[in-house]
Every structure is written in C-alpha cells, then in structure tokens.
Amino acid sequence: MQITGQTKIMFVLAHPIGHVRAPAVLNAHFESTGKNVAASPLHVAPEDLNGVVAAIRHMRNVIGFGTTIPHKIEVMRFLDELTPNAKNVGAVNFTRRDKDGRLIGHNTDGLGFVAGLRLNDVDPAGKRILQLGAGGAGRAVAFALAEAGAGKLRISNRDGGKGQALAEAIAAHYPKCDVTAGPAAAEDFDVIVNTTSVGMKEDDPIPVDIDRLAPATVVADVIMTPLVTRLLARASERGCKTIGGKIMLDQQMNLVTDFLRA
Ligand SMILES: NC(=O)c1ccc[n+]([C@@H]2O[C@H](COP(=O)([O-])OP(=O)(O)OC[C@H]3O[C@@H](n4cnc5c(N)ncnc54)[C@H](OP(=O)(O)O)[C@@H]3O)[C@@H](O)[C@H]2O)c1
C-alpha cells in the first residue's frame, strides 16, 4: 500500500518487538478491505510506556494502538476510559484515540474467540463448556463465553487459586452462568477450549485427557503456532469438530476496525 498524508496510522506497542506479527496481520486486513490505514510496530520499553502513550495523544493522524506483551495490563493506568469488556478482563489489547486525544481501552480477545465459534456454527448459548487455563487469554475467553450465554462453564487451571478467582469474577457478573473451577473430565462437556500455552511446543503434553471424548464434542484451541495443536489433531482423529486459534485472531481484525472507527 502507499502511505500518504490521508492514511490513518496505528501502532502496536511491544517489548521485545522482533516476534510481533500483529502489524502484518492488521496491514493485510486493511489492504484486503480497502481501508487507508497502516499499522507499524513500535518498540517501547516498560519504563517508556507512559511517555509514549502521552505522545500518541498529540498525534492527530493516529487512530489508536495495539498493546501486547508486556504492556496489556500496565497501559490501563494511562488511558482515559476502559470499555466494560476491558475492565472485566483486566487487560487492554487495543486502544482508540478519539479526535480530541482521549484514549479508550478495549479487549477483543474473547469477542474474537466467540465470533470464531459462531462462524463454525457453534453457539455457546446454553452449552456445557470446559475451559483449560485462566491466564490473559483465559480471562478474556471466559467473560466472552459467559456474555454469550454459556450454560455451564468449568474452569480448569494449573494454579487453582487463579482459576477459582476467575470463576468468582464470572459468577459475580453473570449469575445465570453455572461457573465453577477445578479439574474436570473432558467427556462431560459440549465444548472444550484450551486457553493455556500448553501445545505451543512440539513435545508439550495434551492439556486434558480426551480418550473418552464423544465425536459430538467441539474442541477449540486459542494457540496460533502451531495452527493445529496436538490437542486438535487428536480430537479430530476422534471425529470431533476442531477450531484453531487463527480464526480468533482473524475475527479480531473486524472487531478492531469497528472499534477504532478505521
Ligand atoms: N488466537 C488469538 O487471537 C490469541 C489471543 C491471545 C492469546 N493467544 C494465545 O493464548 C496462549 C496463552 O496466552 P496468555 O496471554 O493467556 O498467557 P498467560 O497469561 O501467560 O497464561 C498462560 C496460561 O497457560 C497456563 N500454563 C502455562 N504453562 C502451563 C503448564 N506447563 N501446564 C499447565 N498450564 C500451563 C497458565 O496456568 P497458570 O495460571 O497455572 O500459570 C495460564 O492459565 C498463547 O499461546 C497465546 O499466543 C491467542
């Protein structure tokens, strides 16, 4: 694309920066949807985050910025407003810069996951869902599943206290969702989603025992590298519908475009 004085600019703030793929994914999306928007990576060390965010307020052709490791939580201190979603999740992955320089933080991770489920004809409403993990992605996915009407949500996390805290936060916001934390048998659920990072490495174990899984169970993974984790490969062999992490990221591109008013 050609960047001109008419082009709307956005950044992706990270530290380190070398592995960051979001600008490429964003630029491909803007190009394919005919948007005159360009995204650039910005290498920002934690101690400089406040100064960089303050400077962005004054950059009038900037429509917003993404934040990834290690800025997703810390950035919230420097923003004017958080969407309810960002507040619930406790992390911001995209911030909009309004024309007057106000900065509004949002979190699209969980919304992207649910959009990806729906595109695969899986509606979380009323479903019994087992979620593995309660980290950053896990918090986002759990809130989005509860918002989408999940009937029963079981959160199983290595650090049980963290899983319990997430379950309590969900219960406080969504009293109709039957949410609990603790270990679980995979065969008791309609949908299983892995939100842990277990599966990124080739020799990682499968994060749940799926040996008695019924083919009707849908198995999803938020991991993007590899595109097909061992969990998904094994579930697919058992006849289950499987959904990888790429669709979650792809769906976030539409959500970000809308949120940034790009
Ligand atoms: N597709 C997308 O759009 C998208 C978006 C965001 C993230 N992601 C992916 O989601 C994954 C998690 O990212 P995150 O930001 O949520 O990371 P995080 O905040 O560090 O959370 C990591 C989670 O994995 C669990 N975990 C890590 N190592 C484990 C092990 N050896 N055994 C059992 N559990 C383990 C952690 O459990 P403890 O709490 O016990 O430590 C925690 O629940 C990454 O692969 C990331 O790339 C994908």
Side-chain angles (χ1 to χ4, degrees), residues 133-137 157-159 162 196-198 200 222 224 245 248 252:
N157 195 49
R158 176 178 61 177
D159 175 341
K162 233 164 94 181
T196 75
S197 41
V198 179
M200 295 181 78
V222 303
M224 289 171 289
M248 169 176 172
Q252 290 188 68

Side-chain angles (χ1 to χ4, degrees), residues 69 72 93 109 132-139 156-160 162-163 194-198 200 204-205 207 221-225 244-250 252:
I69 294 169
K72 277 185 168 185
N93 66 345
D109 278 336
L132 311 169
R139 282 191 71 83
S156 188
N157 195 49
R158 176 178 61 177
D159 175 341
K162 233 164 94 181
N194 174 43
T195 71
T196 75
S197 41
V198 179
M200 295 181 78
D204 272 349
D221 205 320
V222 303
I223 290 174
M224 289 171 289
T225 330
K246 188 171 178 299
I247 197 165
M248 169 176 172
L249 182 69
D250 290 345
Q252 290 188 68

Side-chain angles (χ1 to χ4, degrees), residues 26-261:
L26 285 160
N27 286 324
H29 178 76
F30 294 141
E31 184 117 41
S32 72
T33 51
K35 301 275 182 198
N36 190 6
V37 184
S40 166
L42 272 193
H43 188 177
V44 180
E47 61 271 27
D48 297 325
L49 184 63
N50 187 8
V52 169
V53 172
I56 289 175
R57 285 179 191 281
H58 300 286
M59 298 179 181
R60 296 185 183 206
N61 62 344
V62 171
I63 57 170
F65 59 92
T67 34
T68 182
I69 294 169
H71 301 311
K72 277 185 168 185
I73 295 173
E74 196 62 19
V75 73
M76 293 193 292
R77 293 171 47 207
F78 310 125
L79 306 179
D80 300 303
E81 198 182 316
L82 298 174
T83 62
N85 204 38
K87 255 186 229 162
N88 285 341
V89 175
V92 162
N93 66 345
F94 286 100
T95 294
R96 181 175 73 232
R97 180 194 176 280
D98 280 345
K99 285 202 167 70
D100 58 2
R102 276 177 62 76
L103 299 175
I104 297 105
H106 189 35
N107 192 306
T108 57
D109 278 336
L111 304 174
F113 176 74
V114 167
L117 281 187
R118 289 190 174 130
L119 263 189
N120 278 281
D121 298 321
V122 180
D123 182 354
K127 296 280 191 310
R128 299 166 305 160
I129 302 176
L130 170 60
Q131 173 176 314
L132 311 169
R139 282 191 71 83
V141 167
F143 270 100
L145 287 171
E147 173 70 29
K152 178 176 167 182
L153 182 59
R154 178 76 165 176
I155 297 167
S156 188
N157 195 49
R158 176 178 61 177
D159 175 341
K162 233 164 94 181
Q164 183 62 35
L166 177 55
E168 285 170 15
I170 300 280
H173 281 85
Y174 299 95
K176 283 191 186 148
C177 180
D178 172 13
V179 55
T180 53
E187 56 267 31
D188 294 340
F189 297 88
D190 305 310
V191 178
I192 297 173
V193 51
N194 174 43
T195 71
T196 75
S197 41
V198 179
M200 295 181 78
K201 293 194 225 103
E202 228 171 80
D203 56 351
D204 272 349
I206 293 179
V208 64
D209 178 6
I210 57 165
D211 282 345
R212 285 192 303 275
L213 208 55
T217 305
V218 175
V219 180
D221 205 320
V222 303
I223 290 174
M224 289 171 289
T225 330
L227 286 173
V228 180
T229 57
R230 283 181 63 212
L231 167 66
L232 294 185
R234 284 286 305 284
S236 187
E237 281 164 23
R238 294 190 64 81
C240 301
K241 177 185 268 196
T242 59
I243 303 171
K246 188 171 178 299
I247 197 165
M248 169 176 172
L249 182 69
D250 290 345
Q251 287 307 300
Q252 290 188 68
M253 296 302 115
N254 295 324
L255 295 164
V256 174
T257 304
D258 290 349
F259 176 65
L260 297 186
R261 299 169 183 152

